[in-house]
Amino acid sequence: MTELRNVEAELAKFRRRVLVASVFVLFCFLLLVSRLVWLQVVRHDDFEEQAESNRTAIVPIVPNRGLIMDRNGITLATNYSAYTLEITPSKIPGTLEETIDQLSALVDIQPRDKRRFKKLVDESKSFESLPIRTRLSDEEVAKFAAQRFRFPGVDIKARLFRQYPHGELASHVIGYIGRINQREKEQIEEWPEEQQTNYKGTDYIGKLGIEQSFEQQLHGITGVDEVETSAGGRAVRKLASNPATPGNTIKLSIDIKLQKLIEEMYGERRGALVAIDPRNGEVLAFVSMPTFDPNLFVEGIDVENWQILNESIDKPLLNRALRGTYPPGSTYKPFMALAALETGKRTAGTIINDAGSWTFGGHTFRSHGDGGLGAVDMYRSIVKSSNVYYYSLANEMGVDAMHDFMKPLGFGQYTGIDINGEVRGVLPSQEWKRTYYKKPEQKKWYAGETISLGIGQGYNTFTMLQLAHATGILANGGIRHQPKLVTATQDALSRNWIPAAKEPAMNLGYKPEHVAVINRSLVGVTKEGTSARVFAGAGYVSGGKTGTAQAVTIGQKDKYNASKLEEHQRDHALYMAFAPADNPQIALAVIVENAGFGAEHAAPIARRVFDYVLLGQYPSEEDLVAVKKGQAAAPIGKPRKVEDIPWKTAAP
């Protein structure tokens, strides 16, 4: 009996164990089934998408960047295709240095290429493909292709490169593109999602000038290729494609041949010139000297060239036309005279005695050399450039009245030109001084500070763009047009030209008889005044005003002597002008830094600009040499026809 009970107990125990094991197996099976349901049913779409993405890849197609042209259709910025040798640092098995040394045996890699590549590595993420050499020859491509298996992480790509075919010409206007840096990537991440997507795969962006200001239009719309990939990640075949849309073409108002002439006339001198059509605000020339080669920046400028540009005392990277501020000197006097007429402070016939100096508050303000001009009316004050006339006028008007009149003319204001980076300059007022200075004793405006403002000195500092803009308003009878560099864009798909939007013109309400007095006086300057020798024999009548502006302040008892000053401390030469006088088609402002008198250095440049625009004449070779040296008056030699001047374009 005992044995039977033991057998039954063992069987019962065995059955319980089988039951537990069965339940456990069933539970595991249910887990497996549920997992399969989760993977095969619930997550089916997700895993199918992942599997498809492992098999396919979405490759962005970077669009061709839009062209930039001058007003006559001459290409100023274009693209060309070339092979580039690129390295992805994260895929390199050894060190970058070893890989580059081995590549140098196949492809010519110069020290400057290595320095530029190192700079790109420092600014980029390790998984990005970075160029070590561009513009590979067919022979170099073949050599590397045969040895490619030795270099994981290194590849040859066909890329479009930006090219500025005229090199340094008009570089401050055109600007340049460069590789997108980390700061710009962070800015792009803050853009709307649509714009961010449009920059997928894009390595370059506009950095300066029109390239920067019109980046969105020039960039185009990024396309995509859907490709099937191998296990190694290489494209096997294209599955679908949505082509990229090229960027729009930008047409400028600049006449690049005129721009070239002006830059050539400057020679080794520094300065700026802005020429505007006063009838519509179109900028005909926008010159800043010295200039630079924008092609240096496209693939990342090397350290050596960057130091040369950045550390030069001549500041070639400074856009003097847009960002350089200078006292206007005597070119300010015509606007002061117009202010006197419009505010009723003086009439054209008011006589002021110019005794050679003017004293206020115990301070003697110098005038014309060591002698005076005697009795001076408004016409003579401009033609002979009387300082005393405008010292006393400034005292009568006061700083705030001058500020209020000059502000609508654009002095000390943003003109709204369609290029980034414009500076305001300084049009002083009592409010400006209270805001600008921190110390209480510096905030007070003193009456003596007003006097020198009348002759364009003191706190007055303006850009050549502002002076040209104001000259255009005066030439146009008080009607103001916003300066514009871009006249139209061409849609990449329709090929239709779309005119650039324009701000409506504004009439400042000057009395025509007052404007006529000033313009007649400015014509007098070219007939019997300081620029008469320069405009002798001109085939048109122009109006203008020379100016000399201090670069540094000299002592009250000291007499200006250029020979005793460093070259960068000497006075600036200025000229503002318009032509023809009876129907102005061009207005300009020009400065030659540290050159001295405007009649000797600035006015001769203006004369040749007018001859080009109005007569279609180009200076003779001997005349160009004289202008460059600052030894020119009226043109010498036989002028050439503009259309006969050969035009060369640099090869890529």
Side-chain angles (χ1 to χ4, degrees), residues 354-372:
D354 184 343
S357 64
W358 196 77
T359 302
F360 180 84
H363 183 95
T364 299
F365 295 85
R366 294 183 181 86
S367 188
H368 243 72
D370 297 322

Side-chain angles (χ1 to χ4, degrees), residues 527-543:
K527 293 292 188 181
E528 56 179 301
T530 50
S531 63
R533 288 180 60 246
V534 174
F535 284 88
Y540 48 85
V541 176
S542 68

Side-chain angles (χ1 to χ4, degrees), residues 144-206:
F144 175 78
Q147 299 291 323
R148 189 193 177 284
F149 66 92
R150 296 172 46 204
F151 300 99
V154 183
D155 208 347
I156 286 179
K157 296 184 179 180
R159 288 185 180 268
L160 279 175
F161 290 89
R162 197 63 160 173
Q163 187 212 8
Y164 304 98
H166 310 299
E168 297 185 356
L169 183 59
S171 60
H172 289 99
V173 179
I174 302 166
Y176 59 85
I177 68 167
R179 294 187 70 88
I180 300 174
N181 58 36
Q182 189 59 40
R183 179 177 58 83
E184 289 162 339
K185 288 176 182 175
E186 293 171 358
Q187 291 175 348
I188 291 174
E189 290 174 357
E190 297 177 0
W191 291 357
E193 185 175 350
E194 182 179 349
Q195 290 186 25
Q196 289 185 43
T197 302
N198 197 35
Y199 275 76
K200 296 293 185 183
T202 300
D203 296 323
Y204 302 90
I205 197 169

Side-chain angles (χ1 to χ4, degrees), residues 395-416:
N395 185 52
E396 292 170 22
M397 291 190 66
V399 61
D400 288 337
M402 286 189 285
H403 171 275
D404 294 345
F405 183 83
M406 298 298 178
K407 183 177 178 180
L409 281 162
F411 288 113
Q413 314 302 312
Y414 296 120
T415 65

Side-chain angles (χ1 to χ4, degrees), residues 87 89 92-103 117 151 154:
I87 300 175
I92 299 299
T95 65
L96 273 175
E97 290 74 12
E98 291 174 350
T99 300
I100 292 173
D101 288 341
Q102 293 172 14
L103 286 170
F117 181 76
F151 300 99
V154 183

